[in-house]
Amino acid sequence: MQREDAIFCFLGLAALYLALRPAECVQWLALAKMSSQASIQSADTCEALTGLVKRQRRLCKKNVELMDSVKVGALRAIEECQNQFANRRWNCSTSDTKRLFGNVILKQGTREAAFVHAISSAGVAHAVTRACSSGQLQKCGCDRTVRGRSPEGFEWSGCSDNIAYGTAFSKAFVDAREKGKKRRNTARSLMNLHNNEAGRRAIEDHMKVDCKCHGVSGSCEMRTCWRAMPSFRTVGKNLKEKFDGATEVQRKTVGTRNDLVPLNAQFKPHTESDLVYMAASPDFCEPDKKTGSLGTHGRVCNKTSKAIDGCELMCCGRGYRTRPIVIVERCMCKFHWCCYVRCKKCERHLDEHTCL
Ligand SMILES: *[C@@H]1O[C@H](CO)[C@@H](O)[C@H](O)[C@H]1NC(C)=O
Ligand SMILES: *[C@@H]1O[C@H](CO)[C@@H](O)[C@H](O)[C@H]1NC(C)=O
């Protein structure tokens, strides 16, 4: 339930929620909210999706077969955001109020907003590329430009991940929100566009080579290889590092160009792969509807850690409560001929600490 609320906040798909829809959410992320059975199969479905801006609706109609991947990308992005932020005060989730998350995302151009934009655009690029590689789409397939024999002596398979296609579609679809007349060239839209791009770079900058061996009993006499994307978990980890090192920027007009430049001129300029933000984050200690903070009351913390997951920082100095908990695990598993595994149940007694 909670996760679904989070997604709503991210944005507002169902008509029911329209009235609550924050003007500035990353609304297309609402696609993640569609049930997994519901598939976007026709141009009519595009018309019925309420989270999209006009330009996105047009793209949806032209690329209906890619839209399920957009949906998957949105879902993965939210899951991965929650995974990367599980042990921080802001944990990428929202509850009860439909718009909590939307406020973080939008009102201020914080680091958290930067991360959400980056991971979302990466989610779409990753999912679309994956779908292309599966060979089931009309519009795209593998990248067949990488082929022949490599200097290292292996054979390219001719079916590399088509990251160029995936990022191009992500750029067209995700960035469309920032191209409207009202938003164009505002400091905030420059920030969003930059972070959207940084998200896609977190894939492109980390492409790898995967190989398969052929030969008698795995001897690997012959290898075929292809360029492959990093796992989405790795993309999340890359972006979390960018979050930690994000640069605070401001808009600067140079001639007719609007650019984002570091607020502190002594800092080295950010690259296309870095995240940028314009507003300090709230401390997220107390619930606050204005900022979208849920507060950290009741959050589990680590008594011995000095980092942000430690009780001192997580609980903002308020102190914590300790209670014994019992964790039941399968253990001492034995394989029985043939063929099953039998395990014992073991109990582990631990203390759980939660913030006051
Ligand atoms: C995130 O934090 C809120 C409160 O701070 C809590 O209610 C929620 O369960 C947390 N979500 C996850 C996924 O841990
Ligand atoms: C708590 O933090 C300590 C020190 O950082 C770490 O070694 C330990 O694994 C953490 N415990 C849990 C349950 O995460």
Side-chain angles (χ1 to χ4, degrees), residues 7-23:
I7 295 158
F8 259 127
C9 161
F10 253 136
L11 136 188
L13 172 62
L16 181 60
Y17 284 91
L18 270 180
L20 289 170
R21 189 177 73 196

Side-chain angles (χ1 to χ4, degrees), residues 87 302-307 309 350:
N87 296 321
N302 180 332
K303 192 179 159 181
T304 53
S305 169
K306 295 268 170 275
D309 63 333
L350 297 173

Side-chain angles (χ1 to χ4, degrees), residues 2 82 86 88-89 91-95 294-297 299:
Q2 249 182 19
Q82 294 187 346
R88 296 183 58 101
R89 288 181 188 162
N91 61 9
C92 201
S93 102
T94 50
S95 49
L294 294 176
T296 63
H297 298 271
R299 287 286 301 276

